[in-house]
Amino acid sequence: MSNKMWGGRFSAGPAAIMEEINASIDFDKKLYTQDIAGSKAHAAMLAQTGIISAADRAAIDHGLDQVKSEIDQGTFTFSRALEDIHMNVESRLAELIGEPAKRLHTARSRNDQVATDVRLWVRDAVDDIEVQLTSYMEVLAKLALEHAGSVMPGFTHLQTAQPVTLGHHLLAYVEMAGRDRSRFADARARLNESPLGAAALAGTSFPIDRQMTAKALGFTRPMRNSLDAVSDRDYAIEVLAAAAIAALHLSRFAEEMVIWTTPFFGFLTMSDSYSSGSSIMPQKKNPDAAELVRGKTGRINGALIALLTVMKGLPLTYGKDMQEDKEPLFDALPSLSLCIAAMTGMLSEATFNEAAMKKAAGAGYSTATDLADWLVRTLGLPFREAHHVTGRIVARAVAAGVPLHRVPLAAMQAEHGAITADVLAVLSPSASVRSRVSEGGTAPANVRRAARRWLKSLAGSPGVGK
Ligand code: ARG
């Protein structure tokens, strides 16, 4: 059978393979809420401008409600022959209400329709992600306040560098999530324009009111250029880029969780509810959720690259290639949501092992910089010279197999005669972190202030205090 939407020009129906490659209904059925909302707004506008009658609009509106409830309830029969959600909805509407349904597509094309639907879907997904990021940040900031004074090793090259506070480390991720949130907010503001009324590509000869449909769908304004409206997907790419960066941040933290839960580190104990066991090794407790956050970041990055690649060679305006925008979006954004939820859940239930962290903070000569700074501050040595003196003292500690604060004073004095016992006071990890009071530094007092500032700025945002 030739297609009932455009059968006029066709004498034969599609080959089975054509139907398979062409149909998007298997995945774009997800857009039904947005599609129906768009159709309702369009019908209301058509009636308001006198393009269709008020009676037809009422029939359409009522019919669309029924279609929506059939889909909601799972009684709707989706058809691949009808290709996509737009034609599935319209065709069922025609079965339900007859003639008026055939007027719905006046001054509209699937090109502006799909562009509208996907923007609405992405907007909702972004709103959910923003709320989730906010509660993730709140959980982190609370933990940071609790652990403002908990000392742990800070790393560069994953080698012990200098002692830091756990609170400071956690707040680093709050800063990242804060930027992620603002990237999504920026993208949302740019995407929230209405393509509806661009029709196939050139606009329409009907006296439509694009301001009206834009407003009804919560868009800030109609898109200014009809060719652009139907053919760009930059907003989707931008949101996927924001998602990829956000996922990358989560993935780095997830990787740290994996490392921290190993017995070699023992900084973190994951709750049973966020771990899994092994089918063969009875002792195992694996941080699977963290590993999966790390793993899902791969597919989120993949979605971004997929859509960039789909779009890169397309001449204006619409090309069917663009149908390929949906699956990456439908996969990546819910995946990111799941990752944020999993990180928030893991962190809410995990236990930080302060003693293990503190012990590790003192290992690896982590306070060598404090010793060098003491030589500069107290003895007036130029920093470069202090660095050398300290390096020689560290070498003595390494040779003797002792931590820095156990190097005998006489041995230190052999490297610089003016060193006094006072130096010992700066060699403990706690003293080290307490001294890092420079703006943005790791001192507990700074961390407390920063955590409180975050909690105050997050208060009242959706998703906080749940
Ligand atoms: N299913 C299509 C898509 O997702 C809808 C637009 C079809 N437009 C067209 N001119 N064939 O892109």
Side-chain angles (χ1 to χ4, degrees):
M1 185 192 77
S2 69
N3 189 293
K4 58 176 155 177
M5 294 293 169
W6 58 64
R9 194 211 182 288
F10 285 70
S11 49
I17 294 296
M18 174 56 188
E19 190 168 291
E20 190 172 340
I21 195 172
N22 198 36
S24 53
I25 188 62
D26 293 342
F27 48 87
D28 71 13
K29 59 172 104 160
K30 230 189 201 42
L31 295 172
Y32 77 94
T33 313
Q34 290 78 10
D35 194 71
I36 289 170
S39 288
K40 288 181 143 218
H42 183 65
M45 181 278 291
L46 291 177
Q48 180 74 29
T49 51
I51 299 169
I52 63 171
S53 69
D56 282 349
R57 184 253 164 145
I60 289 170
D61 215 51
H62 187 254
L64 286 170
D65 285 339
Q66 186 162 343
V67 173
K68 179 160 186 308
S69 84
E70 288 178 7
I71 303 179
D72 282 341
Q73 279 153 31
T75 57
F76 189 97
T77 312
F78 291 102
S79 149
R80 269 196 177 177
L82 289 165
E83 282 191 20
D84 55 26
I85 187 62
H86 324 295
M87 298 207 295
N88 269 270
V89 169
E90 192 185 317
S91 165
R92 177 67 184 137
L93 185 67
E95 282 171 15
L96 292 169
I97 66 167
E99 167 89 10
K102 298 183 184 167
R103 301 189 191 280
L104 173 60
H105 213 52
T106 315
R108 184 176 78 167
S109 155
R110 280 187 295 159
N111 295 350
D112 59 339
Q113 196 178 353
V114 72
T116 303
D117 292 2
V118 178
R119 273 176 197 259
L120 291 173
W121 186 89
V122 171
R123 190 177 73 187
D124 285 349
V126 166
D127 288 346
D128 289 347
I129 288 169
E130 278 191 61
V131 171
Q132 284 189 295
L133 279 174
T134 307
S135 45
Y136 167 65
M137 290 164 72
E138 190 205 19
V139 165
L140 280 176
K142 279 185 175 162
L143 280 171
L145 193 56
E146 196 181 312
H147 290 288
S150 308
V151 180
M152 67 177 278
F155 301 94
T156 60
H157 315 266
L158 196 55
Q159 307 292 322
T160 306
Q162 295 174 349
V164 296
T165 51
L166 172 60
H168 199 50
H169 195 104
L170 298 173
L171 286 181
Y173 285 108
V174 176
E175 295 287 339
M176 294 177 229
R179 288 192 297 275
D180 291 331
R181 210 173 47 143
S182 72
R183 260 184 286 276
F184 279 110
D186 288 348
R188 188 200 196 279
R190 263 187 295 278
L191 77 78
N192 200 30
E193 294 186 345
S194 176
L196 201 58
L201 74 164
T204 175
S205 56
F206 290 97
I208 59 172
D209 181 350
R210 295 189 61 208
Q211 298 288 341
M212 182 180 166
T213 44
K215 195 161 168 234
L217 295 169
F219 289 118
T220 44
R221 66 184 77 83
M223 291 183 75
R224 284 183 292 258
N225 181 300
S226 63
L227 305 179
D228 176 45
V230 296
S231 70
D232 205 3
R233 296 293 182 267
D234 62 347
Y235 70 91
I237 293 171
E238 197 177 346
V239 166
L240 287 175
I245 299 171
L248 172 158
H249 288 149
L250 298 178
S251 180
R252 292 185 74 176
F253 197 2
E255 165 67 1
E256 293 192 322
M257 290 178 168
V258 170
I259 295 173
W260 291 357
T261 51
T262 63
F264 311 103
F265 272 72
F267 290 0
L268 187 69
T269 306
M270 213 61 105
S271 71
D272 286 359
S273 53
Y274 279 92
S275 309
S276 45
S278 155
S279 59
I280 176 171
M281 297 168 282
Q283 85 286 6
K284 288 296 284 283
K285 181 171 155 185
N286 296 324
D288 292 37
E291 294 166 81
L292 286 162
V293 167
R294 204 173 52 183
K296 282 184 192 298
T297 301
R299 29 201 292 199
I300 297 171
N301 290 346
L304 169 61
I305 298 300
L307 193 47
L308 282 168
T309 312
V310 164
M311 296 303 295
K312 71 173 271 295
L314 295 188
L316 298 190
T317 55
Y318 179 85
K320 196 64 173 265
D321 319 46
M322 288 181 201
Q323 182 163 285
E324 294 291 322
D325 63 353
K326 289 166 204 62
E327 285 166 293
L329 284 167
F330 294 167
D331 184 63
L333 300 185
S335 292
L336 177 62
S337 284
L338 184 56
C339 288
I340 304 170
M343 290 296 279
T344 309
M346 274 187 277
L347 282 159
S348 312
E349 297 192 15
T351 311
F352 289 98
N353 305 322
E354 291 174 51
M357 288 189 164
K358 190 164 183 185
K359 184 153 177 254
Y365 316 100
S366 64
T367 54
T369 313
D370 298 272
L371 172 52
D373 288 351
W374 185 89
L375 294 172
V376 170
R377 211 171 20 244
T378 317
L379 305 183
L381 262 57
F383 181 76
R384 197 45 66 203
E385 195 183 326
H387 188 289
H388 282 298
V389 172
T390 306
R392 288 197 299 270
I393 294 172
V394 169
R396 281 174 180 266
V398 172
V402 296
L404 258 190
H405 63 275
R406 288 276 150 69
V407 176
L409 187 57
M412 292 201 198
Q413 285 166 341
E415 298 301 344
H416 197 288
I419 296 178
T420 66
D422 287 353
V423 75
L424 289 174
V426 303
L427 295 183
S428 81
S430 313
S432 171
V433 296
R434 267 200 311 279
S435 73
R436 298 276 191 276
V437 288
S438 57
E439 188 174 345
T442 194
N446 284 12
V447 173
R448 252 173 238 116
R449 225 178 301 120
R452 289 206 180 96
R453 202 187 312 118
W454 269 117
L455 288 170
K456 198 167 156 208
S457 87
L458 295 171
S461 313
V464 163
K466 283 195 309 184

